[in-house]
Amino acid sequence: RRSSDLVRGEQFGEARLVEAFKSRQVEERASVTLATLLNKLDEFTGRANQHDDITCLVVNRFKPQTL
């Protein structure tokens, strides 16, 4: 993270979100994915005050079993 990002009011944004998911393992549990995402967000914000809420939803998609 560049320290100037927060000074300019830059948001975490879609590009950073996509980048955070690139390191995700296909079989990774949703809780691990969420923890990784929140860690990336913490890295981005540093010690900046939080001025809004943070809402995250991670969904696992399972393949249907064939009979």
Side-chain angles (χ1 to χ4, degrees):
R1 166 179 78 80
R2 297 176 311 227
S3 59
S4 60
D5 290 346
L6 291 175
V7 173
R8 293 181 308 196
E10 188 171 325
Q11 295 183 359
F12 189 74
E14 186 177 338
R16 286 184 180 90
L17 182 63
V18 168
E19 189 63 34
F21 280 111
K22 284 183 179 179
S23 64
R24 185 181 181 279
Q25 301 298 313
V26 174
E27 300 297 325
E28 188 173 273
R29 296 179 58 85
S31 60
V32 174
T33 301
L34 178 59
T36 300
L37 177 57
L38 292 176
N39 285 335
K40 295 287 186 184
L41 183 59
D42 285 343
E43 289 172 11
F44 175 74
T45 58
R47 295 182 183 260
N49 291 331
Q50 183 177 334
H51 297 286
D52 204 351
D53 64 329
I54 299 171
T55 304
C56 296
L57 174 66
V58 179
V59 178
N60 275 346
R61 181 177 152 204
F62 297 98
K63 293 181 182 180
Q65 294 181 350
T66 56
L67 300 175

